[in-house]
């Protein structure tokens, strides 16, 4: 307190406008040679306001050296209210710096600051989309394609394509603030469950260049990744721009982690009294901030009466090493499972449970899922569902005979609790499926083996089954779409045979097969027209969205096609997709050079319909 009082007193003196006049020094105390002023060759005339020298004495005037970069004679910005001593004592160093105008305007030194011309994670030579693809597009169209996408896509491969587009190093559309362009992309990535990619995108922009929209997107990104202190540079540079509860609580947490834990905890106590956040959230914030410095306190977290998860509630829970109640996770939106699957601090079993959703969505690759279960296999103390799954996965690779490996793979598929988890396990077993021999003994499992390989992107391995696939079967339909090149078009007999074997509601698989083949240009046109009439499917109908994606394809604009394709693939299941939308998506992607993605999306549609 004594130090605070001295600091506060010093601040008040610095803010005072009164001049400090030096005391006259007695000549008898001056060293020899300093008892009279040195003559000057060109002494300037004394200003009119300077006091005249008195006989037998001298008058000193203060010599004040201006602070570099600070306007002379100004301590506070114009119109700023001088705080009281009590208010000064309650301020953190960060708040004092802001009051005195000493806060940095950027988190990067001038030599290290980055251009806003292109923002993104993947350059075009690294697999990203062309950087200038959206530069000449309408900013309203690009903003609508980003902001109107809720982030839940029916297609795993559509999700992967959209993530690639959003992460690419792109020029902002002319007339659109580059920071706002980055904000819309990061916000969509968060809605998709891609918190890690969103954080990398946000961190590609210097904090000093953040707009209000990018500031909010950054907060959402750090919540999605449970990276609480990651937001501190944003809070530090933009300290006074917001007064909402989230901002004030995060600012208090950052104060604790910036070396003043006592002040941070005091601020959190004050915010608790104000009911800035619900009680459970404030307790979690205090527990997290208490890990900084010496201001630790015992905080007991009780979930009684808590009915839902929120982004910061979940982030703080896992950040302090706790797990939210299972019933809250069960009824929570899918994005919390996606976060759990990616969070390194979450227990392995919880990560595996999240992977049952994240794999099907496109967030986790087949290799990543295998790595996750491999870690579970190594932990002898882990038992239960996912320990058994890890055992089965190992047997799928090292089983003594093909029959043993097939049984292990099938047990993983059949043990899935729902359709989404089953498709995630197809992703999981993609590489094991590629090791299976092509034999008639496994013809019954061939459609799922092919779907597993295609889910993992192993289309060449899947094509080994082409000689074994009967025309008109589900295995044949997937391969007809997935193969890189096809020399002969699909005829009407093959289409009708597939139709006769189609068990899906409303012949959805047949609709998707026709839409995919037409989009790829692999079907006889006369046969396609007859088959479309049989299915009552009008692929010539146009909508505003279909016209936009066709125009983007005509202009050979990969990035815009990818954004519009993502807009057209929204939904929580393939029953929300129409043959018309699939046709335009596959056709547009194929025309702009994204044929591999077009083939995988079409084959996935037939497999999952």
């Amino acid at each position: 307190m004594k130090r605070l009082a001295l600091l506060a007193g010093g601040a008040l003196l610095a803010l005072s406008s009164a001049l400090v006049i030096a005391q006259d020094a007695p000549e008898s105390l001056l060293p020899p040679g300093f008892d009279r002023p040195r003559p000057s060759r060109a002494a300037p005339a004394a200003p009119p306001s300077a006091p005249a020298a008195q006989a037998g004495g001298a008058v000193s005037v203060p010599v004040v050296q201006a602070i570099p970069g600070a306007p002379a004679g100004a301590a506070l910005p114009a119109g700023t209210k001088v705080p009281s001593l009590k208010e000064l004592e309650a301020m953190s160093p960060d708040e004092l710096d802001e009051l005195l105008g000493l806060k940095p305007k950027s988190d990067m030194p001038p030599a290290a600051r980055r251009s806003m011309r292109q923002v993104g994670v993947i350059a075009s030579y690294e697999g990203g989309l062309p950087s200038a693809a959206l530069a000449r597009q309408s900013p309203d169209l690009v903003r609508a394609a980003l902001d109107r996408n809720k982030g839940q896509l029916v297609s795993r491969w559509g999700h992967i394509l959209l993530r690639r587009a959003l992460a690419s190093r792109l020029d902002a559309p002319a007339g659109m603030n580059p920071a706002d362009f980055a904000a819309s992309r990061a916000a969509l990535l968060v809605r998709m469950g891609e918190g890690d990619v969103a954080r990398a995108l946000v961190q590609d922009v210097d904090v000093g260049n953040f707009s209000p929209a990018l500031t909010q997107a950054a907060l959402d990104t750090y919540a999605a990744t449970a990276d609480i202190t990651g937001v501190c540079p944003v809070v530090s540079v933009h300290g006074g721009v917001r007064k909402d509860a989230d901002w004030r609580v995060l600012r208090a947490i950052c104060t604790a982690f910036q070396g003043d834990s006592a002040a941070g905890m005091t601020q959190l106590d004050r915010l608790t009294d104000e009911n800035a956040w619900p009680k459970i959230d404030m307790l979690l914030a205090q527990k997290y901030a208490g890990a900084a410095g010496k201001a630790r306190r015992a905080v007991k977290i009780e979930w009684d009466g808590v009915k839902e998860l929120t982004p910061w509630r979940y982030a703080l829970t896992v950040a302090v090493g706790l797990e939210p109640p299972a019933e809250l996770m069960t009824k929570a939106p899918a994005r919390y499972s996606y976060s759990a699957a990616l969070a390194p601090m979450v227990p392995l079993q919880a990560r595996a449970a999240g992977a049952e959703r994240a794999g099907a969505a496109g967030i986790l690759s087949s290799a990543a899922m295998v790595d996750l279960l491999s870690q579970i296999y190594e932990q002898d103390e882990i038992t239960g569902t996912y320990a058994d799954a890890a055992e089965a996965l190992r047997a799928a690779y090292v089983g003594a005979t093909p029959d043993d490996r097939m049984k292990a793979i099938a047990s993983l598929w059949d043990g899935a609790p729902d359709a989404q988890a089953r498709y995630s396990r197809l992703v999981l077993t993609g590489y094991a499926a590629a090791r299976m021999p092509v034999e008639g003994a496994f013809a019954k499992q061939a459609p799922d083996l092919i779907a597993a390989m295609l889910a993992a992107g192993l289309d060449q391995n899947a094509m080994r089954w082409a000689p074994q696939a009967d025309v008109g079967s589900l295995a044949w339909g997937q391969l007809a779409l997935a193969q890189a090149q096809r020399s002969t078009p699909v005829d009407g007999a093959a289409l009708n045979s597939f139709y006769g074997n189609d068990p899906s509601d409303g012949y959805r698989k047949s609709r998707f097969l026709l839409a995919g083949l037409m989009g790829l240009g692999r079907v006889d046109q006369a046969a396609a027209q007859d088959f479309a009439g049989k299915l009552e499917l009008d692929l010539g109908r146009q909508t505003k969205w279909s016209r936009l994606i066709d125009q983007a394809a005509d202009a050979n604009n990969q990035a815009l096609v990818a954004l519009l394709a993502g807009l057209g693939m929204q939904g929580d299941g393939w029953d929300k997709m129409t043959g018309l939308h699939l046709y335009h998506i596959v056709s547009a992607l194929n025309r702009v050079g994204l044929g591999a993605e077009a083939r995988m999306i079409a084959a996935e549609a037939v497999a999952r319909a």
Side-chain angles (χ1 to χ4, degrees), residues 418-439:
D418 53 44
Q420 186 180 36
R422 189 178 192 280
Y423 191 72
S424 287
R425 296 194 178 190
L426 289 177
V427 177
L428 170 67
T429 56
Y431 286 89
R435 294 163 57 91
M436 291 297 299
V438 179
E439 297 178 359

Side-chain angles (χ1 to χ4, degrees), residues 19-22 24 44-55 57-62:
L19 293 177
V20 179
I21 306 300
D24 291 347
S49 58
Q54 302 295 323
V59 176
S60 300
V61 294

Side-chain angles (χ1 to χ4, degrees), residues 582-597:
L582 183 65
Y583 163 68
H584 284 286
I585 289 168
V586 172
S587 175
L589 292 175
N590 192 50
R591 288 160 59 194
V592 299
L594 296 173
E597 289 82 355

Side-chain angles (χ1 to χ4, degrees), residues 119-259:
V119 175
V121 182
I122 312 173
S124 57
Y125 59 84
E126 297 172 317
L129 301 187
S131 59
L134 300 177
R136 297 184 179 180
Q137 298 303 313
S138 164
D140 292 335
L141 172 60
V142 173
R143 186 180 293 108
L146 294 170
D147 295 348
R148 294 182 184 178
N149 193 324
K150 296 180 181 179
Q152 187 174 24
L153 275 62
V154 300
S155 170
R156 166 181 165 79
W157 282 104
H159 177 108
I160 292 170
L161 172 62
L162 183 57
R163 177 181 62 203
R164 176 184 166 199
L166 296 173
S168 296
R169 293 190 63 81
L170 298 173
D171 295 325
M176 187 176 186
N177 185 342
D180 290 342
F181 179 48
S184 291
R185 291 156 62 192
L188 177 51
L189 284 166
V190 169
R191 294 194 296 272
M192 292 169 61
E194 296 286 356
D196 288 353
V197 182
R199 178 174 58 182
L201 180 64
V202 165
Q203 291 177 340
D204 196 50
V205 180
D206 294 347
V207 171
N209 293 327
F210 276 26
S211 64
L214 186 52
T215 299
Q216 182 59 52
L219 264 63
D220 295 339
T221 294
Y222 288 112
T225 54
D227 185 2
I228 314 301
T229 54
V231 79
C232 291
V234 184
V235 172
S236 178
V237 173
H238 298 278
V241 300
R242 292 173 51 160
K243 302 296 182 184
D244 56 280
D246 289 358
W247 187 263
R248 289 186 294 153
V249 172
L250 293 171
R251 195 171 183 183
I253 292 174
C254 290
T255 297
F257 277 89
Q258 288 170 348

Side-chain angles (χ1 to χ4, degrees), residues 495-496 499 510-511 514 526-536:
L495 292 174
N496 287 321
Y499 178 86
S510 296
R511 291 169 176 266
L514 178 61
Q529 291 180 2
D530 292 342
F531 197 53
K534 186 175 185 178
L535 295 170
E536 299 181 353

Side-chain angles (χ1 to χ4, degrees), residues 24-369:
D24 291 347
E27 289 184 352
S28 60
L29 298 180
L30 295 175
F34 287 84
D35 54 350
R36 57 180 61 86
R38 190 179 204 174
S40 174
R41 294 183 179 179
S49 58
Q54 302 295 323
V59 176
S60 300
V61 294
V63 177
V64 181
Q65 183 175 351
I67 299 174
L76 284 178
T80 301
K81 178 185 175 182
V82 177
S84 66
L85 178 61
K86 183 177 180 181
E87 290 172 331
L88 284 170
E89 289 178 342
M91 286 184 179
S92 67
D94 186 61
E95 291 171 327
L96 278 173
D97 286 346
E98 184 175 348
L99 175 69
L100 298 174
L102 302 178
K103 288 183 65 64
K105 302 300 182 184
S106 176
D107 62 328
M108 304 289 285
R113 292 176 188 171
R114 295 164 292 183
S115 169
M116 293 287 288
R117 182 172 175 269
Q118 290 179 1
V119 175
V121 182
I122 312 173
S124 57
Y125 59 84
E126 297 172 317
L129 301 187
S131 59
L134 300 177
R136 297 184 179 180
Q137 298 303 313
S138 164
D140 292 335
L141 172 60
V142 173
R143 186 180 293 108
L146 294 170
D147 295 348
R148 294 182 184 178
N149 193 324
K150 296 180 181 179
Q152 187 174 24
L153 275 62
V154 300
S155 170
R156 166 181 165 79
W157 282 104
H159 177 108
I160 292 170
L161 172 62
L162 183 57
R163 177 181 62 203
R164 176 184 166 199
L166 296 173
S168 296
R169 293 190 63 81
L170 298 173
D171 295 325
M176 187 176 186
N177 185 342
D180 290 342
F181 179 48
S184 291
R185 291 156 62 192
L188 177 51
L189 284 166
V190 169
R191 294 194 296 272
M192 292 169 61
E194 296 286 356
D196 288 353
V197 182
R199 178 174 58 182
L201 180 64
V202 165
Q203 291 177 340
D204 196 50
V205 180
D206 294 347
V207 171
N209 293 327
F210 276 26
S211 64
L214 186 52
T215 299
Q216 182 59 52
L219 264 63
D220 295 339
T221 294
Y222 288 112
T225 54
D227 185 2
I228 314 301
T229 54
V231 79
C232 291
V234 184
V235 172
S236 178
V237 173
H238 298 278
V241 300
R242 292 173 51 160
K243 302 296 182 184
D244 56 280
D246 289 358
W247 187 263
R248 289 186 294 153
V249 172
L250 293 171
R251 195 171 183 183
I253 292 174
C254 290
T255 297
F257 277 89
Q258 288 170 348
D260 197 347
S261 56
M265 297 302 292
T266 300
Q267 293 174 42
L268 288 174
D269 290 338
R270 185 166 63 247
L271 290 167
T272 300
D273 294 338
E274 297 174 5
N275 295 319
W277 271 5
K279 181 180 178 181
I280 181 68
D281 298 336
M282 290 307 308
L283 289 173
L284 288 166
Q286 290 173 343
K287 188 174 183 66
Y288 184 84
K294 299 180 180 179
R296 299 185 181 184
R297 63 175 69 172
V299 179
K300 183 178 181 181
I301 306 300
E302 295 181 349
W303 292 91
D304 295 342
V306 179
K307 298 181 179 180
E308 64 177 351
L309 289 177
T310 63
W312 285 114
R313 184 174 299 166
Y314 179 78
L316 286 164
T317 299
V318 299
V320 299
L322 300 176
E323 289 187 74
E327 60 271 17
L328 293 184
M329 284 296 294
T330 300
K331 65 181 182 180
R335 64 178 180 272
Y336 293 101
S337 295
Y338 302 158
S339 295
L342 295 170
M345 72 286 284
V346 171
L348 289 173
Q349 301 98 311
R351 292 186 62 188
E356 298 274 42
R357 289 184 171 186
I363 294 170
L364 291 182
S365 68
S366 178
M369 296 184 72

Side-chain angles (χ1 to χ4, degrees), residues 558-600:
Q558 288 186 345
L560 188 56
V561 166
L563 295 183
L564 292 171
L567 193 65
M569 283 189 282
Q570 296 183 81
D572 57 3
W574 281 96
D575 57 326
K576 304 299 190 296
M577 173 63 71
T578 68
L580 178 67
H581 279 73
L582 183 65
Y583 163 68
H584 284 286
I585 289 168
V586 172
S587 175
L589 292 175
N590 192 50
R591 288 160 59 194
V592 299
L594 296 173
E597 289 82 355
R599 292 185 289 111
M600 294 300 102

